[in-house]
Amino acid sequence: MTVTVESTWLICPGCADLVFRPKYERAQRVCPGCGHHARLTARERLDGLLDLGSHKPVETALAADDPLGFTDTRPYRERLAAAREATGMREAALCASGTIESHPVVVACLDFSFVGGSLGSGVGELVTVAAEKALSERVPLLIVTASGGARMQEGALSLMQMAKCSQALAKLDEAGILTIALITDPTYGGVAASFATLPDVLIAEPGAHLGFAGPRVIAQTIRQELPAGFQTAEFLLARGLIDAVVPRPALRRTLARLLAAARPDAPTMGEEAAAQGEWLVRDPAALPRRAAWDAVRLAREAARPTALDYAGMILEDFIELRGDRAGKDCPAVVGGIGRLRGRGVMLIGHQKGHDTAERVRRNFGMPTPAGYRKAMRLMRLAAKLGLPVVTLVDTPGAYPGIEAEEEGQAWAIAESQRLMSGLPVPVVTVITGEGGSGGALALAVSDRVLALSNAVYSVISPEGCAAILWKDAAAAPQAAEALRLSAPELLRQGIVDAVITEPGDGAHTAPARTAELIQTAVRRACDDLAALPPAELVERRRRRFRSYGSPSSEETRWPITAT
Ligand SMILES: [Zn+2]
């Protein structure tokens, strides 16, 4: 047998190097040199994503071809016939139900090789039928996109498919069913402006382009050079418009983790060693006395575990979800979905970082409005899916900067509190470090508020308080004492419900053990709260915050005693 050079080697469209074809095909057409992701057909895509043998086609009758009798340089009927001949498909979408690592899913997959994956009546019908199947079977919907946009040959009927698919997704939102878009290169126009961007979680392949107007149209209209990487997955991720960029070989695993975490079912927690013991303290007198200023310094210790450290230690299969979907991703707030001893939860926290570079990049854990807007997006998703919300608070405060003010810092903090007060799911907060003012409270309007024993929670930083009231920042230790911001004092005031005693010389000396205690306390709180009907949960949460400073609630609080 003779093998020609052309058939065993090909030129990578990304780096123009010669690539060994069998290896390339085995890698699902990802270049081993530059990582370029070449296009796949819908059939190849379904085969690559679904468990072997699980695939069942979802088919439906389609309307008659060519509703307008359209002809450009060639009759539309001829174009359709040629596309069908070339691809073996009836339309530019293929739908199936199946499983990904045993998790059921309905998939609608577009194919760019069929008339540019364009959105006509047939594609709109197939995507809608897939969504309806997901709804009737209460199974998550995955949409894989690849499209140049609307199908012009079907005129306004093509445009209407955007609304048809968008409302099919709205029904899945109303029914609490997870939707995911996998964005592949390219995804533009009517598909981008409907079912590619509406799903709960947006994952894109590296280098995939996603946008409303194509780059040529934009360049011609504005007559400006477009920035490097414009409309690529990486560009969009940095601007908070998608959740993650995932290389093709990792897609199945990532999707399986998402599908697993989004399931509301929750096996009860087994009894574990940490469940008993004196580490969870409700009596302030049982906590050691220490100067408030020492607590402030410990709460700020750079080596204390961060929200992402805890996410990795207390959750199985944590997947970070990013962006406010409105143009920004604030690195000082992180969040994502994972399983807390089997129970799916949404975890959201302030993120400081350990070394100087990360602390600078994370703005020292001081969120911008985009951070709170990301948090709110994730809380709404948790509410949709029926997942408890767990927040980890550690911030000096919301970012006091020009941009943050221009973007509505006060508005964002206010909206977050209002949203949290009405979430129909359990909300549990752990103050893990600094609970700095409104920037902390915006993530802490919760059913249960726990604090680590070296955490602090305060209306203002001791330095700020000292500068204003003492006219001397050096009076910070006195201000810290007067503000009663340490864990025992917060317990006395009823601001926190229980204090988790940090092992060793503090959380930074025993991060894994600290995480284990948080995991146990939070899981137990979630289990208790999940037993309540949503309306009662909300009612009790509102009663809690109604009681602060209310004359009728004084007798139910511990008296604030002099130290
Ligand atoms: Zn390459």
Side-chain angles (χ1 to χ4, degrees):
M1 189 179 88
T2 53
V3 179
T4 60
V5 170
E6 290 77 36
S7 66
T8 33
W9 295 88
L10 59 90
I11 291 170
C12 165
C15 61
D17 271 2
L18 271 182
V19 181
F20 188 52
R21 192 187 288 269
K23 189 174 170 190
Y24 184 67
E25 293 295 341
R26 267 201 307 281
Q28 300 179 79
R29 283 190 221 139
V30 177
C31 172
C34 72
H36 176 267
H37 284 52
R39 274 176 205 151
L40 296 178
T41 64
R43 171 83 47 206
E44 291 166 333
R45 187 63 76 170
L46 288 178
D47 288 346
L49 287 176
L50 292 174
D51 294 339
L52 201 64
S54 76
H55 170 286
K56 285 193 203 80
V58 174
E59 305 217 21
T60 186
L62 297 182
D65 293 340
D66 193 17
L68 306 184
F70 194 94
T71 299
D72 49 280
T73 56
R74 193 179 177 193
Y76 177 37
R77 278 176 190 282
E78 273 182 30
R79 270 187 208 282
L80 276 178
R84 285 174 182 158
E85 174 74 26
T87 62
M89 294 171 66
R90 196 166 49 136
E91 252 302 341
L94 211 54
C95 302
S97 62
T99 55
I100 297 177
E101 295 190 6
S102 303
H103 301 289
V105 66
V106 174
V107 191
C109 189
L110 269 58
D111 195 320
F112 196 79
S113 61
F114 191 109
V115 197
S118 53
L119 174 59
S121 302
V123 170
E125 190 66 19
L126 282 160
V127 170
T128 301
V129 165
E132 287 166 350
K133 187 173 177 65
L135 180 66
S136 69
E137 295 182 3
R138 297 201 62 84
V139 162
L141 175 70
L142 168 64
I143 306 178
V144 186
T145 66
S147 176
R151 192 169 295 173
M152 292 171 277
Q153 295 90 341
E154 295 187 17
L157 281 172
S158 157
L159 192 64
M160 294 307 118
Q161 302 311 310
M162 294 166 65
K164 178 164 126 185
C165 294
S166 297
Q167 71 186 17
L169 285 171
K171 286 167 88 172
L172 290 175
D173 289 342
E174 288 153 15
I177 293 167
L178 177 70
T179 56
I180 306 169
L182 168 57
I183 288 127
T184 77
D185 191 59
T187 296
Y188 276 107
V191 168
S194 60
F195 55 83
T197 50
L198 281 180
D200 299 319
V201 179
L202 308 182
I203 293 171
E205 288 194 324
H209 290 79
L210 166 66
F212 185 57
R216 248 176 299 161
V217 172
I218 297 172
Q220 280 164 14
T221 310
I222 63 170
R223 299 189 187 284
Q224 276 174 7
E225 208 165 306
L226 299 175
F230 185 62
Q231 293 179 328
T232 59
E234 297 75 10
F235 183 95
L236 300 171
L237 183 68
R239 283 158 186 77
L241 292 166
I242 62 172
D243 289 288
V245 178
V246 179
R248 199 169 285 168
L251 279 175
R252 254 175 66 83
R253 191 78 265 280
T254 304
L255 291 168
R257 287 165 68 177
L258 259 178
L259 294 170
R263 286 161 74 142
D265 55 352
T268 48
M269 182 175 69
E271 280 305 305
E272 70 297 313
Q276 308 305 324
E278 290 166 358
W279 56 272
L280 193 64
V281 179
R282 289 189 177 80
D283 173 9
L287 288 165
R289 280 172 183 277
R290 92 152 48 89
W293 187 241
D294 291 341
V296 171
R297 288 198 303 200
L298 267 171
R300 292 175 181 169
E301 164 64 54
R304 280 177 86 80
T306 65
L308 285 178
D309 293 334
Y310 286 126
M313 291 188 282
I314 72 178
L315 300 184
E316 303 122 54
D317 290 346
F318 175 71
I319 294 191
E320 190 177 350
L321 303 177
R322 292 176 60 181
D324 67 353
R325 292 275 204 279
K328 293 260 159 75
D329 181 55
C330 172
V333 172
V334 295
I337 206 167
R339 282 176 301 128
L340 179 71
R341 294 204 193 138
R343 181 193 279 280
V345 297
M346 183 69 76
L347 183 132
I348 300 165
H350 301 97
Q351 177 71 16
K352 280 182 177 170
H354 295 298
D355 55 50
T356 307
E358 197 196 353
R359 288 169 86 84
V360 168
R361 192 167 68 76
R362 302 277 184 189
N363 203 20
F364 302 92
M366 293 186 286
T368 59
Y372 296 113
R373 290 183 179 131
K374 166 163 66 179
M376 284 188 265
R377 176 174 80 84
L378 299 184
M379 289 176 202
R380 285 189 197 100
L381 177 55
K384 171 186 161 174
L385 299 174
L387 302 177
V389 172
V390 178
T391 67
L392 303 178
V393 168
D394 185 16
T395 179
Y399 182 56
I402 295 171
E403 215 180 293
E405 291 297 319
E406 285 175 344
E407 291 169 1
Q409 186 71 282
W411 286 252
I413 292 170
E415 282 167 20
S416 189
Q417 293 168 73
R418 179 175 60 186
L419 175 70
M420 291 189 84
S421 83
L423 286 175
V425 290
V427 188
V428 179
T429 289
V430 184
I431 317 283
T432 60
E434 279 183 281
S437 191
L441 177 62
L443 297 188
V445 182
S446 311
D447 302 308
R448 291 285 163 79
V449 181
L450 311 172
L452 289 182
S453 51
N454 293 318
V456 295
Y457 196 5
S458 172
V459 68
I460 187 170
S461 72
E463 291 87 341
C465 181
I468 294 167
L469 297 182
W470 275 258
K471 319 278 183 228
D472 177 10
Q478 286 158 266
E481 207 66 58
L483 284 166
R484 300 183 184 275
L485 45 60
S486 65
E489 296 290 349
L490 296 168
L491 204 50
R492 260 183 212 110
Q493 296 166 62
I495 302 293
V496 306
D497 304 302
V499 171
I500 299 168
T501 308
E502 294 177 35
D505 293 326
H508 58 291
T509 65
R513 176 67 185 151
T514 306
E516 200 184 328
L517 298 179
I518 290 178
Q519 186 193 50
T520 301
V522 171
R523 175 66 209 248
R524 199 186 292 167
C526 287
D527 285 349
D528 290 350
L529 295 165
L532 297 172
E536 193 180 339
L537 207 52
V538 170
E539 168 61 27
R540 284 193 189 194
R541 191 182 308 139
R542 289 185 172 167
R543 224 182 298 147
R544 174 198 185 104
F545 286 90
R546 174 68 181 83
S547 76
Y548 292 119
S550 159
S552 60
S553 63
E554 299 237 305
E555 65 228 42
T556 68
R557 302 226 168 281
W558 272 296
I560 298 171
T561 53
T563 39

